[in-house]
Amino acid sequence: MQPRVDLISLGVRSVEASRSFYADGLGWRIHREVPGEVVFIQANHGLILSLWDAARMQAEAGTSAPAGVPCITLSHNLASTAEVDWVMAEAEAAGATIVAAPKTQPWGGYTGYFADPDGFRWEVAYNPTWAVDDAGRVSL
């Protein structure tokens, strides 16, 4: 197995609400969808984000609903602290809940966290030891 992730699926309570947040609020382009069931977004550089009806996802994956928000963060890495502030403001304007305002972390980076309509946590980060090129590719 090659060390890569091609698709991240989030089990969402309402495909329509998630579609509205990501497409209308954040301006992300929907590439394919089955209305009311699943939405596919080409996130970047070959990575696909799927917003999938939670009940259908759980049935296919053979799992039950979590008691709360699953402990996972999706990270959006940027080239500066100013970009972190801008993206956090954009997410809040789109309807996100800010769960941790951006701040300098003890390890030297600058991060903030927001929650999407289902509570999934997004880390918006600047790491001074990582490079982010103009196309948004992150390298260690």
Side-chain angles (χ1 to χ4, degrees):
M1 180 174 173
Q2 296 177 351
R4 70 169 196 264
V5 175
D6 302 304
L7 181 120
I8 296 172
S9 294
L10 301 180
V12 299
R13 294 182 301 252
S14 168
V15 173
E16 292 79 14
S18 290
R19 183 191 199 290
S20 178
F21 175 75
Y22 286 95
D24 302 333
L26 294 180
W28 292 14
R29 186 171 161 245
I30 304 298
H31 286 267
R32 291 203 175 98
E33 71 181 295
V34 177
E37 186 175 331
V38 66
V39 171
F40 295 100
I41 298 166
Q42 184 74 54
N44 67 338
H45 320 298
L47 180 65
I48 298 164
L49 177 65
S50 152
L51 308 170
W52 194 0
D53 175 78
R56 291 175 188 253
M57 181 180 183
Q58 291 155 7
E60 184 172 313
T63 187
S64 55
V69 176
C71 187
I72 182 174
T73 59
L74 303 166
S75 190
H76 185 79
N77 289 266
L78 299 161
S80 72
T81 59
E83 289 175 292
V84 170
D85 292 338
W86 187 86
V87 169
M88 290 292 291
E90 179 184 39
E92 186 172 33
T97 301
I98 304 302
V99 294
K103 68 178 184 178
T104 301
Q105 299 296 337
W107 49 269
Y110 184 76
T111 66
Y113 288 83
F114 69 82
D116 78 357
D118 283 276
F120 288 105
R121 298 318 199 241
W122 278 88
E123 175 193 39
V124 182
Y126 163 69
N127 185 328
T129 65
W130 294 5
V132 181
D133 69 16
D134 290 340
R137 290 183 192 92
V138 179
S139 57
L140 303 176

